[in-house]
Amino acid sequence: LIRRQPPAHEPKSAGVLLMMIGELFASRAKTGDFVNLVGRTAVLSEPVRRGIDFVTRFYAAPTSLKRICAAVNQSMYHFVRRFHREVGMPPIQYLNRYRIKQAKRLLATSNEPVAQIRLMVGIPNPAHFSRLFRKLAGTSPSDYRARAPQRRKKNRNLRRR
């Protein structure tokens, strides 16, 4: 169709190919994260695995159960029953646990304010974030940051200098 190749077509096509490969790697769920979050190993069906993949990729965006079910192409009732049976908790509870796990990681490793971190993990309401964090972590976000294991190591290294 085209007699001449468009300018810089090789680097552009290589970039697109690398992005596609990166997306494929990113879309695979990490079984280690799943086992740590749930506390048990399970054989997952394809729809449940795709639901977990969706949650791990899009947890920072406003996500509803309806959106997760649409992503796995199943009815809400059927998906929730299957997810709960295989994972041991409802999908929204899994989403909340994953968000709090990411918030803990960010609190321990970054200097971002707590308000920014709650937005980064997809929880816009500050009261809901604090209540959920306290329920799942056992402490407030600011107390968790003060006692974070990674942060203590950094503080010890700074005192020695």
Side-chain angles (χ1 to χ4, degrees), residues 62-135:
T63 305
S64 66
L65 183 58
K66 188 181 272 188
R67 189 167 175 215
I68 296 170
C69 293
V72 299
N73 199 23
Q74 286 200 334
S75 73
M76 202 178 311
Y77 176 75
H78 183 70
F79 179 71
V80 169
R81 276 189 37 222
R82 175 179 255 177
F83 194 96
H84 196 285
R85 183 180 45 214
E86 294 179 17
V87 177
M89 68 182 78
I92 295 300
Q93 186 178 356
Y94 180 84
L95 172 65
N96 286 335
R97 284 185 183 210
Y98 190 80
R99 283 176 168 168
I100 296 303
K101 179 181 174 192
Q102 296 303 315
K104 285 174 161 181
R105 183 182 57 81
L106 288 168
L107 285 167
T109 59
S110 76
N111 290 324
E112 295 288 334
V114 174
Q116 184 65 32
I117 288 175
R118 82 174 154 75
L119 293 173
M120 290 168 68
V121 297
I123 303 175
N125 185 340
H128 178 64
F129 176 72
S130 295
R131 197 170 40 248
L132 189 62
F133 194 94
R134 189 176 298 274
K135 178 181 174 186

Side-chain angles (χ1 to χ4, degrees), residues 29-46:
K30 297 174 187 163
T31 54
D33 286 347
F34 174 73
V35 171
N36 290 339
L37 194 59
V38 175
R40 66 180 186 160
T41 58
V43 178
L44 302 176
S45 63
E46 182 64 22

